[in-house]
Amino acid sequence: QSFRHREIFGQVGFGTGGWDTDFPNSVLEILRVVVTEADDNQVGIVGGSSQVPNGLWEHQPENLAHWPRGTSLASLHGGRPRPAVTRLRRTADGVRVTDESGEEREFPAVVYSPHVWTLLNRVDCDPSLLSTPLWTAVERTHYMGASKLFVLVDRPFWRDADPATGHDVMSMTLTDRMPRGVYLFDDGPDRPGVMCLSYTWNDDSLKVATLSAEERLETLLTKLAAIYPDVDIRSHIIAGPLTVTWETEPRFMGAFKNNLPGHYRYQRRLFTQFMQDGMDPAQQGFFLCGDDVSWTAGFAEGAVTTALNAVWGVLHHLGGTTHPDNPGPGDLFDDFAPLELPYD
């Protein structure tokens, strides 16, 4: 009933119960991850993945065209991010942005990076900023639900040798029981480690969504005791549990985008939205980006690449051009654009 191994085999189904309730709809998305090698050669980030946005926020470039050397995003914003955006309105000269404090500012161009579903409820968005086909794409974007539970343990005890087999007493686990996926992270043999005792998707995520963190932990420890009867996980826990259910997070409403059959047309519309020549002027100057706009949702790479597309779009919209020796995504769009199918 359980499949145990150190490596992740494409995150597809093992065991009698299967891995993903939307497995038939996920095959192409998983194939995309495999083909792009998004799951290969991954490394840990010292200090955690938050170092990526923090690094961008605090970075002080040497060569800047419009600000003094050493200017950072943090310094341009007084050391703290502005309040969340609540309203977007088209104006004669651009887009007016209203935030939670009630402050209004107008910009000739706006880049929008949150999940596109937030345009449907969290942000009062002027309908004219997107065309009807693009609003359809936003509405029909499909997000996967997912839950995780983490605990801090005293050391990576899972590397202890099993006296009967000589193998590690515990390893990365895929199972058809409630934990579904168990992942192990260590920072050396004598340092505390982290266990993701459960990573679930969709229906399996909903099974734990109504449980408190403590209830989830007790249930998971009981289920794991049946898989590892000789391993006392509980005795090693020194902090936690920390949990998340992404579909109930107000500004996320899902873990990551996952296209369903027939959704290629919608994904292409969102991905190519930064190419705005020929659009209605009311729809120009507002640019979507983010991992859900990309073809590799759930990965930072997709967020970064679509952000670069949006930056090119802003540059072009404001009358700028790229250096001839360094063409941007829009300059090479006709060579690399995703195939436009007849029904688009």
Side-chain angles (χ1 to χ4, degrees):
Q1 285 187 322
S2 301
F3 184 91
R4 295 184 288 179
H5 200 277
R6 291 178 188 271
E7 299 183 9
I8 306 171
F9 287 84
Q11 295 186 339
V12 297
F14 293 98
T16 58
W19 175 250
D20 175 19
T21 55
D22 279 337
F23 174 69
N25 298 330
S26 304
V27 172
L28 288 179
E29 291 298 288
I30 295 299
L31 177 61
R32 196 188 313 282
V33 170
V34 174
V35 169
T36 60
E37 300 182 348
D39 262 350
D40 293 349
N41 303 314
Q42 295 188 0
V43 297
I45 300 175
V46 176
S49 59
S50 61
Q51 296 302 306
V52 176
N54 287 339
L56 293 171
W57 178 248
E58 298 170 357
H59 179 56
Q60 299 178 356
E62 290 294 314
N63 300 311
L64 290 167
H66 302 290
W67 294 282
R69 183 173 63 182
T71 300
S72 66
L73 285 172
S75 66
L76 290 174
H77 291 78
R80 59 184 299 177
R82 295 186 184 274
V85 170
T86 58
R87 196 167 189 256
L88 297 166
R89 282 293 178 271
R90 168 61 65 195
T91 66
D93 300 315
V95 180
R96 182 180 298 115
V97 179
T98 306
D99 64 36
E100 284 184 330
S101 72
E103 181 180 355
E104 293 187 353
R105 287 162 291 138
E106 190 168 319
F107 302 94
V110 166
V111 174
Y112 193 85
S113 63
H115 275 198
V116 292
W117 271 6
T118 55
L119 291 170
L120 303 175
N121 48 36
R122 287 283 161 183
V123 176
D124 179 9
C125 183
D126 189 338
S128 68
L129 287 173
L130 295 175
S131 66
T132 297
L134 275 165
W135 277 118
T136 300
V138 169
E139 287 275 4
R140 296 185 181 179
T141 296
H142 173 65
Y143 292 98
M144 296 274 281
S147 293
K148 294 181 180 179
L149 182 143
F150 296 90
V151 293
L152 186 68
V153 295
D154 55 359
R155 61 183 182 84
F157 65 90
W158 49 84
R159 296 192 180 275
D160 294 348
D162 186 326
T165 66
H167 298 302
D168 293 354
V169 297
M170 187 176 178
S171 58
M172 180 267 165
T173 306
L174 296 179
T175 173
D176 60 356
R177 302 182 186 184
M178 196 166 190
R180 292 305 197 204
V182 180
Y183 300 87
L184 311 172
F185 308 90
D186 73 85
D187 194 27
D190 300 318
R191 296 176 61 85
V194 172
M195 302 181 73
C196 177
L197 289 180
S198 177
Y199 179 24
T200 61
W201 291 350
N202 287 354
D203 285 357
D204 291 327
S205 177
L206 292 176
K207 293 170 186 174
V208 300
T210 61
L211 301 178
S212 68
E214 291 72 21
E215 289 172 328
R216 294 187 198 191
L217 177 60
E218 289 302 315
T219 301
L220 293 170
L221 289 174
T222 299
K223 302 298 184 183
L224 286 170
I227 300 172
Y228 296 100
D230 299 323
V231 180
D232 185 3
I233 299 174
R234 188 188 302 273
S235 67
H236 292 279
I237 296 175
I238 58 176
L242 296 177
T243 65
V244 64
T245 294
W246 288 109
E247 56 266 41
T248 61
E249 290 292 309
R251 301 186 189 278
F252 290 87
M253 297 175 282
F256 52 90
K257 180 268 300 174
N258 191 304
N259 287 331
L260 299 177
H263 278 200
Y264 177 89
R265 70 191 76 179
Y266 308 130
Q267 186 64 60
R268 188 185 187 281
R269 291 175 200 171
L270 294 173
F271 180 78
T272 62
Q273 187 262 351
F274 75 99
M275 298 293 293
Q276 298 189 355
D277 286 351
M279 282 187 179
D280 186 313
Q283 294 154 13
Q284 296 182 17
F286 180 65
F287 298 91
L288 301 176
C289 71
D291 70 288
D292 57 338
V293 173
S294 81
W295 299 93
T296 51
F299 291 88
E301 289 87 346
V304 171
T305 54
T306 54
L308 293 173
N309 291 350
V311 168
W312 183 92
V314 171
L315 176 71
H316 183 70
H317 178 71
L318 299 180
T321 59
T322 55
H323 191 282
D325 297 334
N326 186 27
D331 302 314
L332 302 176
F333 183 78
D334 291 339
D335 295 328
F336 298 104
L339 181 66
E340 184 173 7
L341 299 181
Y343 53 62
D344 280 353

